[in-house]
């Protein structure tokens, strides 16, 4: 096979960008043999050109001027690894104007300005690839878009944020509080100094929007995704879950029901027998159910420079091959306009722990509120302590709005002293 050189301009050279350069340098021969394309990273935009990045590039490769790379006629593919909205968005759009393919890992940008970017890529007839934007090193986007192109997915559950999965794993393994587990995650570099994007579920919501858009072929943006983080999870919630045969995970959930899409991120109790229950520490996994394929799970490292670089380099090699062949891969697949179901209209299962007065008739009083809101109870336990009792319920699948109304009524009931814990339950058959 004759070898074609394809020149890459890198925008950003931090955790992921520097791993991409090292991988291209170390594995370049393999990539050339396997694809017929030799990737050459010839120019790199950063903020600080003086910093030693631990590898060498030809003199003058580094610049602070990203526009000069995007405009450079010698650059074939632009790889955006700056992150955030601007200047990433403007630089990508400008690259398309020059007919260059773009590879990015930018979930934040894709989950809010995806339509604009894909329209521009379509207009230019070039690739916009983003394998690394969801679940870092796990090959996921191309399998979903290409390998499963003939499949109909009904449901997807994902653990797509390593920081929160690490924190919940530590809480479960050691009985730690959320602040203690967060502090440990920060000490080990799993959580940022400002952990908001992870612990409040923003990062997972952006990824959920991207995954839902791909599997249900409709545009879902980050703001469409209902979001709850993990800061409110108490050691007692985790202990209760364990006692009942569950583990607590922050899940990204996308479902298609009656032609409508629901997308949400929240903590949930997952049965210990479910494949996602064993995904621990900073690992990620995406579990889906398809009409023909049945259950499928993708598992691996969702972050870190080297794992994420494998996804970026895979996209670069693919874009390079397409460029050499004068073609492009599958573009945007948001071909339908599906309604996004409001959270209140979604259906789920719930766990509820109530502290109530220990007297005859309380269980019936409480159960009546479930009944008139059409929330059916699957299991109930009662434990008495002194003058107080604990009532624990797991419901059947019920409408979210109906469950929230039940909860609001129970909070007003004089027999209910405290709503000790409320958690959603996911992954039951
Ligand atoms: N880190 C991960 O594990 C991971 C996993 C999956 C996806 N991603 C995504 O990958 C992207 C990059 O993440 P990262 O962790 O590598 O970020 P990072 O370590 O913060 O690196 C950002 C890079 O962008 C450069 N930069 C910032 N502003 C710039 C500007 N205006 N012009 C030119 N260069 C600029 C920085 O330059 P200096 O080096 O000079 O400061 C740095 O090299 C993000 O979209 C992120 O969400 C990251």
């Amino acid at each position: 096979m004759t070898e074609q050189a394809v020149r890459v301009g890198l925008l950003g050279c931090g955790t992921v960008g520097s791993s991409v350069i090292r991988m291209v340098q170390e594995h370049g021969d393999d990539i050339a043999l396997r694809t017929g394309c030799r990737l050459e990273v010839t120019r790199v935009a950063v903020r600080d050109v003086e910093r030693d990045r631990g590898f060498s590039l030809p003199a003058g490769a580094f610049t602070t001027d990203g526009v000069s790379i995007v405009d450079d006629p010698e650059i074939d593919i632009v790889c955006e690894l700056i992150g955030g909205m601007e200047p990433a968005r403007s630089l990508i759009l400008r690259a398309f104007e020059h007919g260059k393919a773009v590879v990015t890992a930018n979930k934040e940008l894709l989950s809010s300005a995806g339509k604009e970017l894909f329209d521009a890529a379509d207009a230019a007839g070039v690739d916009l690839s983003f394998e690394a934007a969801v679940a870092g090193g796990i090959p996921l986007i191309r399998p979903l878009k290409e390998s499963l192109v003939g499949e109909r997915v009904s449901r997807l559950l994902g653990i797509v944020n390593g920081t929160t999965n690490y924190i919940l794993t530590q809480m479960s393994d050691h009985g730690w509080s959320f602040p203690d587990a967060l502090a440990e995650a920060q000490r080990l570099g799993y959580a940022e100094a400002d952990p908001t994007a992870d612990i409040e579920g923003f990062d997972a919501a952006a990824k959920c929007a991207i995954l839902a858009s791909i599997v249900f072929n409709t545009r879902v943006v980050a703001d469409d995704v209902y979001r709850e983080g993990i800061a409110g999870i108490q050691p007692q919630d985790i202990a209760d879950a364990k006692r009942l045969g569950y583990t607590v995970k922050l899940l990204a959930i996308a479902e298609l029901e009656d032609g409508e899409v629901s997308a949400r991120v929240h903590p949930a109790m997952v049965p210990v027998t479910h494949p996602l229950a064993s995904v621990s520490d900073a690992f990620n996994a995406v579990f889906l159910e398809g009409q023909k394929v049945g259950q499928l799970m993708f598992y691996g490292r969702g972050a870190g420079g080297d794992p994420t670089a494998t996804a970026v380099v895979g996209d670069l090699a693919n874009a390079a091959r397409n460029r050499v062949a004068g073609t492009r891969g599958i573009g945007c697949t948001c071909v339908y306009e599906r309604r996004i179901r409001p959270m209140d209209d979604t259906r789920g299962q719930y766990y509820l722990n109530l502290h109530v007065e220990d007297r005859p008739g309380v269980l019936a009083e409480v159960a009546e509120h479930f009944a008139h809101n059409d929330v059916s109870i699957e299991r109930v336990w009662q434990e008495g302590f002194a003058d107080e009792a604990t009532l624990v319920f797991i419901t059947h699948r019920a409408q979210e709005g109906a469950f929230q109304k039940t909860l609001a009524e129970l909070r007003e009931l004089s027999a209910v002293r405290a709503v000790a814990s409320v958690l959603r339950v996911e992954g039951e058959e």
Side-chain angles (χ1 to χ4, degrees):
M1 205 184 331
T2 51
E3 194 179 286
Q4 293 260 0
V6 177
R7 283 149 308 191
V8 177
L10 213 59
L11 305 174
C13 188
T15 307
V16 181
S18 48
S19 284
V20 166
I21 291 182
R22 276 194 294 271
M23 191 168 176
V24 168
Q25 289 182 343
E26 289 167 21
H27 299 184
D29 290 346
D30 296 328
I31 297 166
L33 282 169
R34 291 169 189 170
T35 65
C37 298
R38 180 160 295 274
L39 297 175
E40 293 176 356
V41 180
T42 51
R43 299 194 62 197
V44 181
V46 289
R47 277 177 302 202
D48 177 4
V49 290
E50 300 301 327
R51 190 183 323 156
D52 177 13
R53 303 195 181 251
F55 50 79
S56 62
L57 284 179
F62 285 99
T63 174
T64 56
D65 182 7
V67 173
S68 72
I69 292 184
V70 167
D71 288 352
D72 186 342
E74 298 291 309
I75 296 289
D76 301 311
I77 301 175
V78 168
C79 181
E80 185 279 309
L81 296 169
I82 295 174
M85 296 302 288
E86 289 294 348
R89 175 184 154 277
S90 306
L91 289 168
I92 291 175
L93 291 173
R94 198 166 169 130
F96 290 145
E97 280 168 24
H98 288 296
K100 299 183 202 299
V102 172
V103 172
T104 178
N106 195 331
K107 71 219 113 182
E108 193 187 342
L109 180 60
L110 286 165
S111 65
S112 54
K115 182 171 181 349
E116 183 186 25
L117 299 181
F118 277 109
D119 285 351
D122 283 347
V126 294
D127 286 320
L128 168 59
S129 320
F130 53 97
E131 184 63 67
V134 183
I138 306 175
L140 184 61
I141 306 299
R142 202 165 311 139
L144 292 180
K145 271 182 116 163
E146 297 183 15
S147 315
L148 294 177
V149 71
E151 176 58 309
R152 290 185 177 160
V153 173
S154 53
R155 193 154 195 258
L156 177 151
L157 301 176
I159 295 173
V160 291
N161 182 271
T163 305
T164 45
N165 203 46
Y166 177 82
I167 291 171
L168 291 172
T169 304
Q170 300 314 305
M171 290 176 74
S172 177
D173 287 356
H174 307 297
W176 289 348
S177 68
F178 169 76
D180 287 348
L182 172 61
E184 178 69 357
Q186 286 172 318
R187 193 181 69 76
L188 294 174
Y190 287 130
E192 310 255 347
D194 176 1
T196 312
D198 292 321
I199 64 172
E200 296 299 339
F202 289 102
D203 174 83
K207 293 165 178 170
C208 186
I210 294 171
L211 292 176
S213 300
I214 293 172
V215 292
F216 302 136
N217 305 106
T218 191
R219 177 73 49 206
V220 180
V221 299
D223 283 346
D224 293 327
V225 181
Y226 174 85
R227 182 185 50 75
E228 275 176 36
I230 64 162
I233 299 290
Q234 303 293 327
Q236 189 61 46
D237 297 328
I238 305 234
D240 285 355
K242 252 188 190 173
R243 196 163 51 94
L244 301 174
Y246 296 87
T247 182
V248 177
K249 297 289 183 193
L250 181 71
L251 295 184
I253 302 164
E255 285 173 329
L256 182 68
E257 210 180 331
D258 304 327
E260 296 184 350
V261 169
S262 66
R264 53 192 197 269
V265 166
H266 54 66
M269 289 180 11
V270 177
V272 289
T273 49
H274 192 280
L276 285 174
S278 56
V279 177
S280 55
D281 294 319
F283 278 88
N284 280 197
V286 171
F287 174 89
L288 61 82
E289 289 159 19
Q291 216 177 62
K292 307 280 186 191
V293 77
Q295 298 185 337
L296 200 58
M297 187 155 103
F298 302 83
Y299 170 87
R301 292 191 189 278
D306 285 351
T308 307
T310 64
V312 174
V313 171
D315 276 351
L316 287 173
N318 203 45
R321 289 197 67 199
N322 285 343
R323 186 181 166 87
V324 167
T327 183
R328 64 187 294 234
I330 296 177
C332 181
T333 51
C334 293
V335 292
Y336 304 122
E337 279 190 30
R338 300 191 194 273
R339 179 173 180 262
I340 310 289
R341 201 171 262 196
M343 187 60 184
D344 270 357
D345 294 347
T346 63
R347 293 179 70 75
Q349 245 188 312
Y350 305 87
Y351 158 84
L352 178 62
N353 180 321
L354 298 178
H355 292 180
V356 297
E357 285 175 25
D358 194 8
R359 60 166 171 79
V362 170
L363 176 58
E365 236 180 281
V366 168
E368 209 287 313
H369 287 270
F370 281 93
H372 77 240
N373 284 307
D374 206 18
V375 177
S376 148
I377 297 165
E378 184 189 278
R379 281 179 278 167
V380 58
W381 299 261
Q382 179 165 4
E383 293 161 7
F385 314 98
D387 67 332
E388 195 171 87
T390 299
L391 284 179
V392 178
F393 299 90
I394 291 188
T395 71
H396 283 290
R397 274 175 89 77
Q399 201 187 20
E400 167 84 13
F403 177 77
Q404 293 301 341
K405 186 161 171 289
T406 310
L407 192 58
E409 290 173 7
L410 293 175
R411 286 186 201 278
E412 297 300 313
L413 221 55
S414 63
V416 174
R417 296 207 173 137
V419 175
S421 178
V422 187
L423 275 171
R424 295 183 175 82
V425 180
E426 293 288 344
E428 297 262 38
E429 281 309 307

